[in-house]
Amino acid sequence: ALPALEKYISQCGTVQESRIISTCFITVAHLINKNGEMATNYVRHLSHLLDSGVINRDTPLRDLVKFLKALYFLVICLYLVKPTFIM
């Protein structure tokens, strides 16, 4: 399942597709390796959508909340349980 999610992260380009990816990402966040590229690719994907204007002030609040929730789960699952996290 994780390789398929990795593939979809790189292919999706709309807010709706990204929201679905975020839902999947939240579900499997505890399985993601801190040293792996999936978390980095997901963050890069959201950054790209922000930079390109796909995610903007007209983006529905439910989608923005979903993106923030996915990022929150990344922090919780990957960093806060490890003593190496530095803010």
Side-chain angles (χ1 to χ4, degrees):
L2 292 180
L5 181 58
E6 187 89 52
K7 178 182 171 186
Y8 292 129
I9 289 172
S10 66
Q11 291 179 346
C12 70
T14 67
V15 170
Q16 293 79 16
E17 291 171 335
S18 297
R19 182 173 34 87
I20 293 168
I21 293 295
S22 295
T23 300
C24 297
F25 206 78
I26 290 166
T27 304
V28 298
H30 63 284
L31 300 174
I32 296 170
N33 183 353
K34 178 182 177 184
N35 299 322
E37 293 185 23
M38 183 179 286
T40 303
N41 290 341
Y42 177 75
V43 172
R44 281 187 191 142
H45 173 70
L46 287 182
S47 295
H48 171 72
L49 293 178
L50 282 165
D51 293 342
S52 63
V54 174
I55 297 175
N56 56 43
R57 68 182 193 168
D58 296 326
T59 301
L61 183 59
R62 70 175 184 178
D63 297 336
L64 296 174
V65 168
K66 184 65 75 174
F67 302 145
L68 291 173
K69 184 176 179 182
L71 292 171
Y72 171 78
F73 269 82
L74 273 178
V75 170
I76 294 299
C77 292
L78 300 179
Y79 298 111
L80 292 183
V81 295
K82 312 249 189 274
T84 58
F85 180 70
I86 299 172
M87 285 199 169

